[in-house]
Amino acid sequence: TQLLEQSPQFLSIQEGENLTVYCNSSSVFSSLQWYRQEPGEGPVLLVTVVTGGEVKKLKRLTFQFGDARKDSSLHITAAQPGDTGLYLCAGEGGNKLVFGAGTILRVKS
Amino acid sequence: DAGVIQSPRHEVTEMGQEVTLRCKPISGHNSLFWYRQTMMRGLELLIYFNNNVPIDDSGMPEDRFSAKMPNASFSTLKIQPSEPRDSAVYFCASSLGGTTAEAFFGQGTRLTVV
């Protein structure tokens, strides 16, 4: 069974701070997706990374796929209250999309 | 497009009762997924369909769970009989193809079995 471990589980920061959340596995994934989920809603895709070492930027969010395609990170610069939510990583392997447990981010104003 | 539509949004039922959750995927999408989300286990894939055919149901926890997709625009997830440990948020998602294409999620059905 392929498992994705996300850390930290919970993060509470002040507006304007930077943060990084991690997604790690012992398995290799063909691709990895990051989703954000707000309370009462379903997850929404932020980005898909495919190539080892790939870096993608989405405004203040920077996503990186590890060289060995086993891990990924999400860095948020100058966090805003609107960034609050559950951040999920999901890896494609064995013809399935496997989700991590997520990181709950709370950004206080 | 209205997105993936799930019904009901909330369901409270007594243990032993049958529960049916419904999903209308985005028109044109050929893959449909049912997930269950709990605090303890996170988001788990229960089953997915491609072109209305079940491809992988290894995530279905027990025989009490069954899913159907009679046509491209409708799917159901049934639990019979329901148990308190089935309480969770159940999500339906659809995509244009396979497991790696972007999955569009519905708003979920929050199921409480008492």
Side-chain angles (χ1 to χ4, degrees), chain A residues 30-31 33 35 37 40-45 48 86 88 92-101 104, chain B residues 9 35 37 39 41-45 48 55-56 58-59 91 99-108:
Chain A
S30 304
S31 65
Q33 300 177 350
Y35 288 79
Q37 183 179 14
E41 302 292 331
V44 175
L45 181 70
T48 301
L86 173 66
L88 295 158
E92 190 272 330
N95 208 30
K96 287 184 181 181
L97 200 59
V98 177
F99 279 83
I104 297 173
Chain B
R9 288 294 311 275
Y35 286 90
Q37 188 174 40
M39 287 293 292
R41 301 174 68 90
L43 200 61
E44 302 173 279
L45 177 64
Y48 84 89
I55 302 301
D56 187 338
S58 60
F91 286 102
T99 59
T100 54
E102 178 179 359
F104 292 81
F105 284 77
Q107 291 185 298

Side-chain angles (χ1 to χ4, degrees), chain B residues 64-81:
Chain B
R64 297 183 297 105
F65 286 70
S66 63
K68 293 182 179 180
M69 191 165 185
N71 56 63
S73 59
F74 184 66
S75 177
T76 59
L77 177 68
K78 184 179 293 185
I79 308 173
Q80 165 64 18

